[in-house]
Amino acid sequence: MSHALKQVFNKDKTFRPKRKFEPGTQRFELHKKAQASLNAGLDLKVAVQLPPGEEQNDWVAVHVVDFFNRINLIYGTISDYCTEQSCPVMSGGPKYEYRWQDEHKYRKPTALSAPQYMNLLMDWIEVQINNEDIFPTNVGTPFPKNFLPVVKKILSRLFRVFVHVYIHHFDRITQMGSEAHVNTCYKHFYYFVKEFNLIDTKELEPLVSL
C-alpha cells in the first residue's frame, strides 16, 4: 500500500463507519479466509471462487460488506475534490449519467451532483447490509428470496463509484500514489461480480477499456 494511502487510512478518514464481522461467527471465518487468499497473493480470479463446502450466499454477503468498506475508503480519499462545483452531475464522462432513485424522496430517477449521489448511495447500502431480514448474521437463519436482487443493486451502484473515480478523479488517485491499490480493488470487484454473474455486462461497459 502506498505511503499516501496509508496516511489516509491511518487518519481513519473513512466515508462511513466500517461494518465489522463478529468474531467467532461463520462470516468472520469466511472474511478471514477471503483476506488470507488476497494476502497470499493468489490470482484474483482464483481468490474470488467459492471455497469448497461453503454456502454461496454467505460468501457473497461477506464480499458485499467488504467491497462497501473498501470503496468507501477509496471515495473518502478523493471526496474533498468531488464537490458540487467540480461534479454537478453524477457521471462517468459525457456518455454516462447516473440518476438516483429510491423508495422515499426520489421515486423517479433524479439527476444529482456526485457528492449528493454518493451520500444517498452509502446511506442506502448501510441500511441494506445492517438489515437482518436481508443480511442475516445468525448461523442457520436463511437468506431471503430477495437477497441476490438486493446484492445486484448494491454492487451495480458501487460500480458507479469506480466509474466516477476513474473517469473524473484518477489524477488525484495518481498524485497520492495509490493507483495500484485502487486498480487491485477494482480488479477484485470485477472478477467477483463476473464469477457470480452479479452485474450485467452492459453495466460494466464504462470501464471496459480497463
Side-chain angles (χ1 to χ4, degrees):
M1 193 186 300
S2 74
H3 176 66
L5 204 62
K6 266 193 178 138
Q7 281 185 314
V8 174
F9 279 28
N10 291 344
K11 280 184 203 155
D12 210 24
K13 184 187 169 171
T14 51
F15 195 56
R16 284 283 183 288
K18 285 182 86 167
R19 164 83 193 264
K20 291 191 168 65
F21 301 100
E22 289 300 316
T25 63
Q26 187 182 10
R27 296 275 168 77
F28 182 75
E29 295 307 315
L30 270 181
H31 178 66
K32 281 204 310 193
K33 197 177 281 191
Q35 290 306 305
S37 297
L38 290 175
N39 294 337
L42 266 189
D43 180 344
L44 287 170
K45 283 183 185 173
V46 176
V48 297
Q49 291 169 5
L50 182 67
E54 300 294 353
E55 286 292 324
Q56 182 173 313
N57 281 349
D58 278 315
W59 188 240
V60 168
V62 163
H63 280 79
V64 169
V65 173
D66 196 40
F67 287 133
F68 171 65
N69 289 334
R70 287 165 183 264
I71 294 166
N72 260 324
L73 276 173
I74 289 170
Y75 184 68
T77 63
I78 59 93
S79 58
D80 289 348
Y81 300 85
C82 183
T83 65
E84 303 284 328
Q85 290 72 38
S86 69
C87 305
V89 176
M90 174 57 183
S91 63
K95 271 178 78 177
Y96 302 97
E97 181 184 326
Y98 299 119
R99 299 188 169 203
W100 181 258
Q101 184 175 16
D102 57 33
E103 293 165 2
H104 307 292
K105 188 176 174 185
Y106 300 98
R107 290 178 177 272
K108 290 181 179 172
T110 306
L112 297 172
S113 69
Q116 280 178 298
Y117 187 102
M118 298 294 186
N119 269 306
L120 287 166
L121 172 59
M122 300 307 178
D123 282 345
W124 175 78
I125 294 175
E126 210 166 14
V127 168
Q128 308 311 308
I129 62 177
N130 286 306
N131 183 342
E132 286 283 334
D133 292 335
I134 302 171
F135 281 75
T137 52
N138 293 328
V139 176
T141 303
F143 283 87
K145 285 182 179 161
N146 69 331
F147 174 68
L148 279 180
V150 171
V151 159
K152 287 177 178 181
K153 199 168 184 180
I154 290 172
L155 293 173
S156 67
R157 286 177 165 184
L158 278 175
F159 173 73
R160 295 170 180 184
V161 181
F162 277 121
V163 175
H164 184 74
V165 168
Y166 268 115
I167 292 173
H168 295 280
H169 300 289
F170 201 66
D171 54 342
R172 177 62 190 156
I173 296 286
T174 307
Q175 279 170 14
M176 294 172 69
S178 43
E179 66 269 31
H181 172 80
V182 176
N183 287 342
T184 301
C185 185
Y186 174 65
K187 278 202 294 197
H188 185 200
F189 179 93
Y190 177 83
Y191 288 137
F192 187 81
V193 299
K194 291 294 277 183
E195 174 75 14
F196 298 102
N197 197 25
L198 295 171
I199 299 183
D200 289 342
T201 304
K202 192 170 185 302
E203 286 252 357
L204 295 168
E205 278 177 7
L207 296 182
V208 78
S209 59
L210 286 176

